[in-house]
Each structure stands twice: as structure tokens, then as C-alpha cells.
Amino acid sequence: QPFKNKLHGPRRWLDNAAAHNEKIRLLTMKLVFEGLVLLLAIRLSSSYVPASPSFAREKQSWSLSARAKAKKKGGGGGFGSAGGFGGGKSGSDKPKTRTVSGFTGSGTKALRNAANTFDEIRKQYGKEGTSDLYMRSPLNDEETFWFVGKVVRRMDSSDLEGSSVPTEFETVLSQKRLIIEYAKNQLRPQNFGGPYAKNLEIWLAPGDSEMDVVQNKVTLVKVTGSAADISDSFAVADVGFNPEIYVGDEIKEGGLRVTRDENGKPVKPVFEING
């Protein structure tokens, strides 16, 4: 009998432990189920939006308002999207001037586009559509005119981006800021920059006439006016600019320059170059 009682104790403890574990399992399952039900109820209540007629009308009003604002703003971009000198557009919404913002060096987009356009138009029109550019700073030297590059324009009305053939002056005025910024910051800052940057002038000569200009056979023509004088039918895509670039000793000593009076006339007689 003592032996049986000794075995009966452990067995009864095991039975009680099993029953206790079963109760814990059932309670856990109940809590999990109730938690899932509560979570589902919360999600349903938070995502519910009353689809009343007034709400639908208000939402439609927001959508129409947003579309109207976007349409009013327009696409923008491209040349002339910035303000200031480079912001002008023609009546046909074609940019009239090349956009320049502050300092412009040889790697900027505006200068690169101008040079690429020059190459394209030059292949079509050659010397006929080309003009040579000279620049003078009266504060630096009243009689010295520096060669700073060339401009070109389309001459055939059937080949235009705008609706009128550019004049020589429009070809320069539409790129004047670009030409001046390049000359005073990159080409000859010692003659056009700093204290000499005020009242810089651009003068014209016939295309590819460098030799005749040097020989005093050509009178230079001063470019006057501003971007406001450009026709509304003009498009800057119809003109290009090819900047002068110095190499070797020219970087320090400078390149081509000539002497002229205040009217662009040679101050010395014509001479010939032998050989």
C-alpha cells in the first residue's frame, strides 16, 4: 500500500498539469481571436469615407481647380524661360534672345547651342549669311577694336524657325549679352572686364573679311539698339555665334585687333600684303 501511494502522487500531478496547460491553450486562442476581431473593426472604421453627394462635388471641384492651375502655368522651359535679358519671346512664342545668367564661359549651354547653330547655318549659307564681330571698350582704349568672333543668320524664308529673315543687327542683338559675357570673362578680361566693362560696344564687318579689315579696306559699323528692337517675328534659332578662341601666345598677347576712329573708319591708309 505505501508503494502504491508513492506512485499515485506523481501520476495525479501529471494529470493536473495537463489540464492546466489545456486551459492556457484555450485562453490564448480566445485572446488571439478577440484581438483579430478588434483589429479588423478598427481598420474598417478608419478606411470608411462617407460617399455623400456633397463630398463627391467637393472632390470634383478640387480636381477641376488643379487642372485649371496646371493649364494656366503652361509648360515653360527652353531658351528664354529665365527672366532678365534672356527672357524675351516673339509673338509666335519662339525665343528672341539667348538666355544668359551671370558669368558665361566656354562650356555653358547657351554658348554651346549658339556655336552648334552657327555651324549648322554656316554650312547652308556660308560667307553670305556671316558677319564678323569686333568689340571696343572706350574706357580701355578708344581706338582698339578686338575681333571676338562671327555670327550667322538664315537667309531663306522657307528655312526659318521664325517668320521673318533676321537682319544683321537682330543677329547680334539677340546674342549681345552672350557675346559680351564671353569676351569680357573668357577672351580678353584684361581689356573688357573689371573697370573696363562699362559701355562695351560691338561693331560689324562683312563675313570673312579679316584680311581686308587688317589692310584698312573696311569701315566697321557700330551695332545700336537693344533686344526691344527685335521683331516679334524673329526667332533666335535662326542665328548663331562662333566665338573667337585664343591658342598659344594669343592667350597672353591677344589675337587680331585693329585701329579705327570713333566712327569705325581706318586711321591709317590702305596697304597691301606682299607674298
Coordinates of all heavy atoms in Angstrom, one line a residue, residues 159-248:
D159 N 13.3 78.4 -94.8 CA 14.1 77.6 -93.9 C 14.1 78.2 -92.5 O 15.0 77.9 -91.7 CB 15.6 77.6 -94.5 CG 16.5 76.7 -93.7 OD1 16.1 75.6 -93.4 OD2 17.7 77.1 -93.5
L160 N 13.2 79.0 -92.1 CA 13.2 79.7 -90.9 C 12.4 79.0 -89.8 O 11.4 78.4 -90.0 CB 12.6 81.1 -91.1 CG 13.3 82.1 -92.0 CD1 12.5 83.4 -92.2 CD2 14.7 82.4 -91.5
E161 N 12.9 79.3 -88.5 CA 12.1 78.9 -87.4 C 11.1 80.0 -87.0 O 10.0 79.7 -86.6 CB 13.0 78.7 -86.2 CG 13.9 77.4 -86.3 CD 13.1 76.1 -86.2 OE1 12.1 76.1 -85.5 OE2 13.6 75.1 -86.8
G162 N 11.5 81.2 -87.3 CA 10.6 82.4 -87.1 C 9.8 82.6 -88.4 O 9.8 81.7 -89.3
S163 N 9.3 83.8 -88.5 CA 8.5 84.1 -89.7 C 9.1 85.3 -90.5 O 8.4 85.9 -91.4 CB 7.1 84.4 -89.4 OG 6.9 85.4 -88.4
S164 N 10.3 85.7 -90.1 CA 11.0 86.8 -90.9 C 12.5 86.5 -90.9 O 13.0 86.0 -90.0 CB 10.7 88.2 -90.3 OG 11.3 88.3 -89.0
V165 N 13.1 86.9 -92.0 CA 14.5 86.8 -92.2 C 15.3 87.7 -91.2 O 15.0 88.9 -91.2 CB 15.0 87.0 -93.6 CG1 16.5 86.9 -93.7 CG2 14.3 86.0 -94.6
P166 N 16.2 87.2 -90.4 CA 16.9 88.1 -89.4 C 17.7 89.2 -90.1 O 18.3 88.9 -91.2 CB 17.7 87.2 -88.6 CG 17.1 85.8 -88.8 CD 16.6 85.8 -90.2
T167 N 17.7 90.4 -89.6 CA 18.7 91.4 -90.1 C 20.0 91.2 -89.4 O 20.1 90.4 -88.4 CB 18.1 92.8 -89.8 OG1 18.1 93.0 -88.3 CG2 16.7 93.0 -90.3
E168 N 21.0 91.9 -89.9 CA 22.3 91.8 -89.3 C 22.3 92.3 -87.8 O 22.9 91.6 -86.9 CB 23.4 92.7 -90.0 CG 24.2 91.9 -91.1 CD 25.4 92.7 -91.5 OE1 25.2 93.9 -92.0 OE2 26.5 92.2 -91.4
F169 N 21.6 93.4 -87.6 CA 21.5 93.9 -86.2 C 20.7 92.9 -85.3 O 21.1 92.7 -84.1 CB 20.8 95.3 -86.2 CG 21.8 96.4 -86.4 CD1 23.0 96.2 -87.1 CD2 21.5 97.7 -86.0 CE1 23.9 97.2 -87.4 CE2 22.4 98.7 -86.2 CZ 23.6 98.5 -86.9
E170 N 19.7 92.3 -85.8 CA 18.9 91.4 -84.9 C 19.8 90.2 -84.6 O 19.7 89.6 -83.5 CB 17.7 90.9 -85.7 CG 16.5 92.0 -85.7 CD 15.3 91.5 -86.5 OE1 15.5 90.7 -87.5 OE2 14.2 91.9 -86.1
T171 N 20.6 89.8 -85.6 CA 21.5 88.6 -85.3 C 22.4 88.9 -84.2 O 22.7 88.0 -83.4 CB 22.3 88.3 -86.6 OG1 21.4 88.1 -87.7 CG2 23.2 87.1 -86.4
V172 N 22.9 90.1 -84.0 CA 23.8 90.5 -82.9 C 23.0 90.8 -81.6 O 23.3 90.3 -80.6 CB 24.7 91.7 -83.3 CG1 25.5 92.1 -82.1 CG2 25.5 91.4 -84.5
L173 N 21.9 91.6 -81.8 CA 21.2 92.0 -80.6 C 20.6 90.8 -79.8 O 20.5 90.8 -78.6 CB 20.1 93.0 -81.0 CG 20.5 94.3 -81.5 CD1 19.3 95.1 -82.0 CD2 21.3 95.1 -80.4
S174 N 20.2 89.8 -80.6 CA 19.6 88.6 -79.9 C 20.6 87.8 -79.1 O 20.3 87.0 -78.3 CB 18.9 87.7 -81.0 OG 19.9 87.3 -81.9
Q175 N 21.9 88.0 -79.4 CA 23.0 87.3 -78.8 C 24.0 88.2 -78.1 O 25.1 87.8 -77.7 CB 23.7 86.4 -79.8 CG 22.8 85.5 -80.6 CD 23.5 84.7 -81.6 OE1 23.9 83.5 -81.4 NE2 23.8 85.3 -82.8
K176 N 23.6 89.5 -78.0 CA 24.5 90.5 -77.5 C 25.1 90.2 -76.1 O 26.3 90.3 -75.9 CB 23.8 91.9 -77.5 CG 24.7 93.0 -77.0 CD 24.0 94.4 -77.1 CE 24.8 95.5 -76.6 NZ 24.1 96.8 -76.6
R177 N 24.2 89.8 -75.2 CA 24.7 89.5 -73.8 C 25.6 88.4 -73.8 O 26.7 88.4 -73.1 CB 23.4 89.2 -73.0 CG 23.7 88.8 -71.6 CD 24.2 89.9 -70.7 NE 24.6 89.4 -69.4 CZ 23.7 89.2 -68.4 NH1 22.4 89.4 -68.6 NH2 24.1 88.8 -67.2
L178 N 25.3 87.3 -74.6 CA 26.2 86.2 -74.7 C 27.6 86.6 -75.2 O 28.6 86.2 -74.7 CB 25.6 85.1 -75.6 CG 26.4 83.8 -75.8 CD1 26.6 83.1 -74.5 CD2 25.7 82.9 -76.8
I179 N 27.6 87.4 -76.3 CA 28.9 87.8 -76.9 C 29.7 88.6 -75.9 O 30.9 88.4 -75.8 CB 28.6 88.6 -78.2 CG1 27.9 87.8 -79.2 CG2 29.9 89.2 -78.7 CD1 27.3 88.6 -80.4
I180 N 29.1 89.6 -75.2 CA 29.8 90.4 -74.3 C 30.3 89.6 -73.1 O 31.5 89.8 -72.7 CB 28.9 91.6 -73.9 CG1 28.7 92.6 -75.0 CG2 29.5 92.3 -72.6 CD1 27.7 93.7 -74.7
E181 N 29.5 88.8 -72.5 CA 29.9 88.0 -71.4 C 31.1 87.1 -71.7 O 32.0 87.0 -70.9 CB 28.7 87.1 -70.9 CG 27.6 87.9 -70.2 CD 28.1 88.6 -68.9 OE1 28.9 88.0 -68.2 OE2 27.6 89.7 -68.6
Y182 N 31.1 86.5 -72.9 CA 32.2 85.7 -73.3 C 33.5 86.5 -73.5 O 34.5 86.1 -73.0 CB 31.9 84.9 -74.6 CG 33.1 84.2 -75.1 CD1 33.4 82.9 -74.6 CD2 33.9 84.7 -76.2 CE1 34.5 82.2 -75.0 CE2 34.9 83.9 -76.7 CZ 35.3 82.7 -76.1 OH 36.4 82.0 -76.5
A183 N 33.4 87.6 -74.2 CA 34.5 88.5 -74.5 C 35.2 89.0 -73.2 O 36.4 89.0 -73.1 CB 34.2 89.6 -75.4
K184 N 34.4 89.4 -72.2 CA 34.9 90.1 -71.0 C 35.4 89.1 -70.0 O 36.2 89.4 -69.1 CB 33.9 91.1 -70.5 CG 32.8 90.5 -69.7 CD 31.9 91.6 -69.1 CE 30.8 91.1 -68.2 NZ 30.0 92.2 -67.7
N185 N 34.8 87.9 -70.0 CA 35.2 86.9 -69.0 C 36.2 85.8 -69.5 O 36.9 85.3 -68.7 CB 33.9 86.2 -68.4 CG 33.1 87.1 -67.6 OD1 33.6 87.7 -66.6 ND2 31.8 87.3 -67.9
Q186 N 36.1 85.5 -70.8 CA 37.0 84.5 -71.3 C 38.0 84.9 -72.2 O 39.2 84.5 -72.1 CB 36.1 83.4 -72.0 CG 35.2 82.6 -71.1 CD 35.9 81.6 -70.3 OE1 36.7 80.8 -70.8 NE2 35.7 81.7 -69.0
L187 N 37.7 85.8 -73.2 CA 38.6 86.1 -74.2 C 39.6 87.2 -73.8 O 40.8 87.0 -73.8 CB 37.8 86.6 -75.5 CG 38.6 86.7 -76.8 CD1 39.1 85.3 -77.2 CD2 37.8 87.3 -77.9
R188 N 39.1 88.4 -73.4 CA 40.0 89.5 -73.0 C 39.6 90.2 -71.8 O 39.2 91.3 -71.8 CB 40.1 90.5 -74.2 CG 40.8 90.0 -75.4 CD 42.2 89.6 -75.2 NE 43.1 90.7 -74.8 CZ 44.4 90.5 -74.5 NH1 44.9 89.3 -74.4 NH2 45.1 91.5 -74.1
P189 N 39.6 89.5 -70.6 CA 39.2 90.1 -69.4 C 40.0 91.3 -69.0 O 39.6 92.3 -68.4 CB 39.3 89.0 -68.3 CG 40.3 88.0 -68.9 CD 40.0 88.1 -70.4
Q190 N 41.3 91.3 -69.5 CA 42.2 92.5 -69.2 C 41.8 93.7 -70.0 O 42.3 94.8 -69.6 CB 43.7 92.1 -69.4 CG 44.0 91.6 -70.8 CD 43.8 90.1 -71.0 OE1 42.8 89.6 -70.9 NE2 45.0 89.5 -71.4
N191 N 41.0 93.6 -71.0 CA 40.6 94.7 -71.8 C 39.1 95.1 -71.7 O 38.7 96.2 -71.9 CB 40.9 94.5 -73.3 CG 42.4 94.4 -73.6 OD1 42.9 93.3 -73.8 ND2 43.1 95.5 -73.5
F192 N 38.3 94.0 -71.3 CA 36.9 94.2 -71.3 C 36.3 94.0 -69.9 O 35.1 94.3 -69.7 CB 36.2 93.3 -72.3 CG 36.6 93.5 -73.7 CD1 36.9 92.4 -74.5 CD2 36.6 94.8 -74.3 CE1 37.3 92.6 -75.8 CE2 37.0 95.0 -75.6 CZ 37.3 93.9 -76.4
G193 N 37.0 93.4 -69.0 CA 36.5 93.1 -67.7 C 36.8 94.2 -66.6 O 37.4 95.2 -66.9
G194 N 36.3 94.0 -65.4 CA 36.6 94.9 -64.3 C 36.2 96.3 -64.6 O 35.0 96.6 -65.0
P195 N 37.1 97.3 -64.5 CA 36.9 98.7 -64.7 C 36.5 99.1 -66.1 O 36.1 100.2 -66.4 CB 38.1 99.4 -64.2 CG 39.2 98.4 -64.4 CD 38.6 97.0 -64.1
Y196 N 36.8 98.2 -67.1 CA 36.6 98.5 -68.5 C 35.3 97.9 -69.0 O 35.0 97.9 -70.2 CB 37.7 97.9 -69.3 CG 39.1 98.3 -68.8 CD1 40.1 97.4 -68.5 CD2 39.4 99.7 -68.6 CE1 41.3 97.7 -68.0 CE2 40.7 100.1 -68.1 CZ 41.6 99.1 -67.8 OH 42.8 99.5 -67.3
A197 N 34.5 97.3 -68.1 CA 33.3 96.5 -68.6 C 32.1 97.4 -68.9 O 31.1 96.9 -69.5 CB 32.9 95.5 -67.5
K198 N 32.1 98.7 -68.6 CA 31.0 99.6 -68.8 C 31.0 100.1 -70.3 O 32.1 100.4 -70.8 CB 31.0 100.7 -67.8 CG 29.8 101.6 -67.9 CD 29.8 102.7 -66.8 CE 28.5 103.5 -66.8 NZ 28.6 104.6 -65.7
N199 N 29.8 100.1 -70.9 CA 29.7 100.7 -72.2 C 30.5 100.0 -73.3 O 31.0 100.6 -74.2 CB 30.1 102.2 -72.2 CG 29.2 103.0 -71.3 OD1 28.0 102.8 -71.1 ND2 29.8 104.0 -70.6
L200 N 30.5 98.7 -73.2 CA 31.2 97.9 -74.2 C 30.4 98.0 -75.5 O 29.2 98.0 -75.5 CB 31.3 96.4 -73.8 CG 32.2 96.2 -72.6 CD1 32.2 94.7 -72.2 CD2 33.7 96.6 -72.9
E201 N 31.1 98.0 -76.7 CA 30.5 98.2 -78.0 C 30.8 97.0 -78.9 O 31.9 96.5 -78.9 CB 30.9 99.5 -78.6 CG 30.7 100.8 -77.8 CD 31.4 102.0 -78.4 OE1 32.2 101.8 -79.3 OE2 31.1 103.1 -77.9
I202 N 29.8 96.7 -79.7 CA 30.0 95.6 -80.7 C 29.9 96.3 -82.1 O 29.0 97.1 -82.4 CB 29.0 94.5 -80.6 CG1 29.1 93.8 -79.2 CG2 29.2 93.5 -81.7 CD1 28.1 92.7 -79.0
W203 N 30.9 95.9 -83.0 CA 30.9 96.5 -84.3 C 30.9 95.4 -85.3 O 31.5 94.3 -85.1 CB 32.2 97.4 -84.5 CG 32.2 98.6 -83.6 CD1 32.3 98.6 -82.2 CD2 32.1 100.0 -84.0 NE1 32.2 99.9 -81.8 CE2 32.1 100.8 -82.8 CE3 32.0 100.6 -85.3 CZ2 32.0 102.2 -82.9 CZ3 31.9 102.0 -85.3 CH2 31.9 102.8 -84.1
L204 N 30.4 95.7 -86.5 CA 30.3 94.7 -87.6 C 31.2 94.9 -88.8 O 31.5 96.1 -89.1 CB 28.8 94.6 -88.1 CG 27.8 94.0 -87.2 CD1 26.4 94.3 -87.8 CD2 28.0 92.5 -87.1
A205 N 31.6 93.8 -89.4 CA 32.3 93.8 -90.7 C 31.8 92.7 -91.5 O 31.2 91.8 -91.0 CB 33.8 93.6 -90.4
P206 N 31.9 92.8 -92.8 CA 31.4 91.7 -93.7 C 32.0 90.3 -93.3 O 33.1 90.3 -92.7 CB 31.9 92.1 -95.1 CG 32.0 93.6 -95.0 CD 32.5 93.9 -93.6
G207 N 31.3 89.3 -93.6 CA 31.8 87.9 -93.2 C 33.1 87.6 -93.8 O 33.4 87.9 -95.0
D208 N 34.0 87.0 -93.1 CA 35.3 86.5 -93.5 C 36.2 87.6 -94.2 O 36.9 87.4 -95.1 CB 35.1 85.4 -94.5 CG 34.4 84.2 -94.0 OD1 34.2 84.2 -92.7 OD2 33.9 83.3 -94.8
S209 N 36.1 88.8 -93.6 CA 36.8 90.0 -94.1 C 38.0 90.4 -93.3 O 38.5 91.5 -93.4 CB 35.9 91.2 -94.3 OG 35.4 91.6 -93.0
E210 N 38.5 89.4 -92.5 CA 39.6 89.8 -91.6 C 40.8 90.4 -92.3 O 41.4 91.4 -91.8 CB 40.1 88.5 -90.8 CG 39.1 87.9 -89.8 CD 38.2 86.8 -90.5 OE1 38.0 86.9 -91.7 OE2 37.9 85.9 -89.7
M211 N 41.2 89.8 -93.4 CA 42.3 90.4 -94.1 C 42.1 91.8 -94.6 O 43.0 92.7 -94.5 CB 42.7 89.4 -95.3 CG 44.0 89.8 -96.0 SD 45.4 89.8 -95.0 CE 45.6 88.0 -94.7
D212 N 40.9 92.0 -95.2 CA 40.6 93.4 -95.7 C 40.5 94.4 -94.5 O 40.9 95.5 -94.7 CB 39.2 93.4 -96.4 CG 39.3 92.7 -97.8 OD1 40.4 92.5 -98.3 OD2 38.3 92.2 -98.3
V213 N 40.0 93.9 -93.4 CA 40.0 94.8 -92.2 C 41.4 95.2 -91.8 O 41.7 96.4 -91.5 CB 39.2 94.2 -91.1 CG1 39.3 95.0 -89.8 CG2 37.7 94.0 -91.4
V214 N 42.3 94.2 -91.7 CA 43.7 94.5 -91.3 C 44.3 95.4 -92.3 O 45.1 96.3 -91.9 CB 44.5 93.1 -91.3 CG1 46.0 93.4 -91.1 CG2 44.0 92.3 -90.1
Q215 N 44.0 95.3 -93.6 CA 44.6 96.2 -94.6 C 43.9 97.6 -94.7 O 44.2 98.3 -95.6 CB 44.6 95.5 -96.0 CG 45.5 94.3 -96.0 CD 45.3 93.5 -97.4 OE1 44.5 92.6 -97.5 NE2 46.1 94.0 -98.3
N216 N 43.0 97.8 -93.7 CA 42.3 99.1 -93.7 C 41.4 99.4 -94.9 O 41.2 100.5 -95.3 CB 43.4 100.3 -93.5 CG 44.2 100.2 -92.3 OD1 43.7 99.8 -91.2 ND2 45.5 100.5 -92.3
K217 N 40.9 98.4 -95.4 CA 40.0 98.5 -96.6 C 38.5 98.5 -96.2 O 37.6 98.7 -97.0 CB 40.2 97.3 -97.5 CG 41.6 97.3 -98.2 CD 41.7 96.0 -99.1 CE 43.1 96.0 -99.7 NZ 43.2 94.8 -100.6
V218 N 38.2 98.3 -94.9 CA 36.9 98.2 -94.4 C 36.6 99.1 -93.2 O 37.4 99.2 -92.3 CB 36.6 96.7 -93.9 CG1 35.2 96.6 -93.3 CG2 36.7 95.7 -95.1
T219 N 35.4 99.8 -93.3 CA 34.9 100.6 -92.2 C 34.0 99.8 -91.4 O 33.1 99.1 -91.9 CB 34.2 101.9 -92.7 OG1 35.2 102.7 -93.4 CG2 33.6 102.6 -91.6
L220 N 34.2 99.7 -90.1 CA 33.3 98.9 -89.2 C 32.0 99.7 -88.9 O 32.0 100.9 -88.9 CB 34.1 98.6 -87.9 CG 35.4 97.9 -88.0 CD1 36.0 97.7 -86.6 CD2 35.3 96.6 -88.8
V221 N 31.0 98.9 -88.7 CA 29.7 99.5 -88.4 C 29.2 99.2 -87.0 O 29.2 98.0 -86.6 CB 28.6 99.0 -89.4 CG1 27.2 99.5 -89.1 CG2 29.0 99.3 -90.8
K222 N 28.9 100.2 -86.2 CA 28.5 100.0 -84.8 C 27.1 99.4 -84.7 O 26.2 99.9 -85.4 CB 28.6 101.4 -84.1 CG 28.3 101.2 -82.6 CD 28.4 102.6 -81.9 CE 28.1 102.5 -80.4 NZ 28.3 103.8 -79.8
V223 N 27.0 98.5 -83.8 CA 25.6 97.9 -83.6 C 24.9 98.7 -82.5 O 25.5 98.9 -81.4 CB 25.7 96.4 -83.1 CG1 24.4 95.9 -82.8 CG2 26.4 95.6 -84.2
T224 N 23.8 99.2 -82.8 CA 23.0 100.0 -81.9 C 21.7 99.4 -81.6 O 21.2 98.5 -82.4 CB 22.8 101.4 -82.4 OG1 22.1 101.3 -83.7 CG2 24.1 102.2 -82.6
G225 N 21.0 99.8 -80.6 CA 19.7 99.2 -80.2 C 19.8 98.2 -79.1 O 20.8 98.0 -78.5
S226 N 18.6 97.6 -78.8 CA 18.5 96.6 -77.7 C 17.6 95.5 -78.1 O 17.1 95.5 -79.2 CB 18.0 97.3 -76.4 OG 16.7 97.7 -76.6
A227 N 17.4 94.5 -77.2 CA 16.5 93.4 -77.5 C 15.1 93.9 -77.8 O 14.3 93.2 -78.5 CB 16.5 92.4 -76.3
A228 N 14.7 95.0 -77.3 CA 13.4 95.6 -77.6 C 13.2 95.9 -79.0 O 12.0 96.0 -79.5 CB 13.1 96.8 -76.7
D229 N 14.2 96.1 -79.8 CA 14.2 96.4 -81.2 C 14.0 95.2 -82.1 O 13.9 95.4 -83.3 CB 15.4 97.2 -81.6 CG 15.5 98.5 -80.8 OD1 14.5 99.2 -80.7 OD2 16.6 98.8 -80.3
I230 N 14.1 94.0 -81.5 CA 14.0 92.8 -82.3 C 12.5 92.6 -82.7 O 11.6 92.7 -81.9 CB 14.5 91.6 -81.5 CG1 16.0 91.8 -81.2 CG2 14.3 90.3 -82.3 CD1 16.6 90.7 -80.3
S231 N 12.3 92.2 -83.9 CA 10.9 92.0 -84.4 C 10.3 90.8 -83.7 O 10.9 89.8 -83.3 CB 11.0 91.7 -85.9 OG 9.7 91.2 -86.4
D232 N 8.9 90.9 -83.6 CA 8.2 89.8 -82.9 C 8.2 88.5 -83.8 O 7.9 87.4 -83.3 CB 6.7 90.2 -82.7 CG 6.6 91.2 -81.5 OD1 7.5 91.2 -80.7 OD2 5.6 92.0 -81.4
S233 N 8.5 88.7 -85.1 CA 8.5 87.5 -85.9 C 9.9 86.8 -86.0 O 10.0 85.8 -86.7 CB 8.1 87.9 -87.4 OG 9.0 89.0 -87.8
F234 N 10.8 87.4 -85.2 CA 12.2 86.8 -85.2 C 12.3 85.6 -84.2 O 11.6 85.6 -83.2 CB 13.1 87.9 -84.7 CG 14.5 87.5 -84.4 CD1 15.5 87.4 -85.4 CD2 14.9 87.1 -83.1 CE1 16.8 87.0 -85.2 CE2 16.2 86.7 -82.9 CZ 17.1 86.6 -83.9
A235 N 13.1 84.7 -84.5 CA 13.4 83.5 -83.7 C 14.9 83.4 -83.6 O 15.6 83.4 -84.6 CB 12.8 82.3 -84.2
V236 N 15.4 83.2 -82.3 CA 16.9 83.1 -82.1 C 17.4 81.9 -82.7 O 18.7 81.7 -82.9 CB 17.2 83.2 -80.6 CG1 16.9 82.0 -79.9 CG2 18.7 83.6 -80.4
A237 N 16.6 80.9 -83.0 CA 17.1 79.6 -83.6 C 17.5 79.8 -85.0 O 18.2 79.0 -85.6 CB 15.9 78.6 -83.6
D238 N 17.3 81.0 -85.6 CA 17.7 81.3 -86.9 C 19.0 82.0 -87.0 O 19.4 82.5 -88.1 CB 16.6 82.2 -87.6 CG 15.3 81.5 -87.9 OD1 15.4 80.3 -88.2 OD2 14.2 82.1 -87.8
V239 N 19.7 82.2 -85.9 CA 21.0 82.8 -85.8 C 22.0 82.0 -85.0 O 21.5 81.2 -84.1 CB 20.9 84.3 -85.3 CG1 20.0 85.1 -86.2 CG2 20.5 84.3 -83.9
G240 N 23.3 82.2 -85.2 CA 24.3 81.5 -84.4 C 25.5 82.4 -84.1 O 25.7 83.4 -84.8
F241 N 26.3 82.0 -83.2 CA 27.5 82.7 -82.8 C 28.7 81.8 -82.6 O 28.6 80.8 -82.0 CB 27.3 83.5 -81.5 CG 28.5 84.0 -80.8 CD1 29.4 84.9 -81.5 CD2 28.8 83.7 -79.5 CE1 30.5 85.4 -80.9 CE2 29.9 84.2 -78.9 CZ 30.8 85.1 -79.6
N242 N 29.8 82.1 -83.3 CA 31.0 81.4 -83.2 C 32.1 82.2 -82.5 O 32.6 83.1 -83.1 CB 31.5 80.9 -84.6 CG 32.7 80.0 -84.5 OD1 32.8 79.1 -83.7 ND2 33.7 80.3 -85.4
P243 N 32.4 81.9 -81.3 CA 33.4 82.8 -80.5 C 34.8 82.6 -81.0 O 35.2 81.5 -81.4 CB 33.2 82.3 -79.1 CG 32.8 80.9 -79.2 CD 31.9 80.8 -80.5
E244 N 35.6 83.7 -80.9 CA 37.0 83.6 -81.2 C 37.6 82.9 -80.0 O 37.3 83.1 -78.9 CB 37.6 85.0 -81.3 CG 39.1 85.1 -81.3 CD 39.7 84.6 -82.6 OE1 39.2 83.7 -83.2 OE2 40.8 85.1 -82.9
I245 N 38.6 82.0 -80.3 CA 39.3 81.3 -79.3 C 40.8 81.5 -79.4 O 41.4 81.3 -80.5 CB 39.0 79.8 -79.4 CG1 37.5 79.5 -79.2 CG2 39.8 79.0 -78.3 CD1 37.0 78.1 -79.3
Y246 N 41.5 81.9 -78.4 CA 42.9 82.1 -78.4 C 43.7 80.8 -78.1 O 43.2 80.0 -77.3 CB 43.3 83.1 -77.4 CG 42.9 84.5 -77.7 CD1 42.8 85.5 -76.8 CD2 42.6 84.9 -79.1 CE1 42.4 86.8 -77.1 CE2 42.2 86.2 -79.4 CZ 42.1 87.1 -78.4 OH 41.7 88.4 -78.7
V247 N 44.8 80.6 -78.8 CA 45.7 79.5 -78.5 C 47.1 80.0 -78.4 O 47.5 81.0 -79.0 CB 45.6 78.4 -79.6 CG1 44.2 77.8 -79.6 CG2 45.9 79.0 -81.0
G248 N 47.9 79.2 -77.7 CA 49.4 79.6 -77.6 C 49.6 80.9 -77.1 O 49.0 81.3 -76.0

